[in-house]
Amino acid sequence: MSHPARALAFLRIVTGLYFAKTMFTKFAIVFVGGWLPLPGPSARWIATLPVLVGKQAAGNPVEWYRNFLVDTVIPHAHLFAVLTAWGEAVVGILLTLGFLTGIGSLVGLILVVSYGLATQWMSPGQQGFHLLLVSQMLVFFLARAGRRWGVDGVLARTRPKSLLARRPFS
């Protein structure tokens, strides 16, 4: 391959856009304090999350994770709806822009592992999909994938001694 950095950047952007779609599927304009319109998790997503998690927990053979879903996530569904919606949006924006790609990929890794643990028992397709996303997040982090076609690359070139210019484990 003559341009692996471009291929990695393309994959990072596509994956980022996949996560960023949450801004259209899980967000709405909410009124903070009854008058300040801001983006926030939609009422539909807040109502859907506990139903979805209940289905994921119902037959989950990983006992400790099933207990986490039933005893923690479902009783605090509003909080987890907010965390998942904003987490996916942030991951999507950071990966798409190639900005703070290391942080975006680590947050994405946490989300994907959590989703994978919740759904891995449902079908082989779920296992493969989440394994692929876990692999991508690790590669994005280790390769500093935001350096090509991303803000991280611009920052690394203009500030070569900054933390963004360093590679992990080097």
Side-chain angles (χ1 to χ4, degrees), residues 27-165:
F27 274 81
I29 298 299
V30 297
F31 289 90
V32 177
W35 62 273
L36 180 62
L38 292 174
S42 69
R44 184 185 69 75
W45 173 238
I46 292 169
T48 300
L49 183 109
V51 175
L52 185 64
V53 172
K55 290 178 184 176
Q56 294 168 344
N60 198 321
V62 182
E63 185 177 349
W64 66 269
Y65 201 74
R66 181 182 60 241
N67 292 340
F68 169 71
L69 294 174
V70 171
D71 299 335
T72 305
V73 176
I74 293 174
H76 301 98
H78 186 272
L79 171 65
F80 281 90
V82 170
L83 290 174
T84 56
W86 279 107
E88 289 177 22
V90 166
V91 169
I93 292 167
L94 295 182
L95 291 182
T96 301
L97 297 177
F99 178 59
L100 300 175
T101 308
I103 293 170
S105 58
L106 289 176
V107 173
L109 180 63
I110 292 166
L111 289 170
V112 170
V113 167
S114 298
Y115 299 163
L117 285 169
T119 62
Q120 52 76 33
W121 65 275
M122 296 176 123
S123 77
Q126 290 291 339
Q127 295 166 2
F129 176 69
H130 289 99
L131 179 61
L132 181 65
L133 284 174
V134 165
S135 301
Q136 286 177 296
M137 294 301 159
L138 289 172
V139 169
F140 296 157
F141 176 77
L142 295 172
R144 293 290 201 240
R147 290 174 180 234
R148 176 64 61 129
W149 297 342
V151 176
D152 288 349
V154 173
L155 293 174
R157 286 188 296 278
T158 59
R159 297 175 167 256
K161 297 202 184 265
S162 75
L163 183 63
L164 290 174

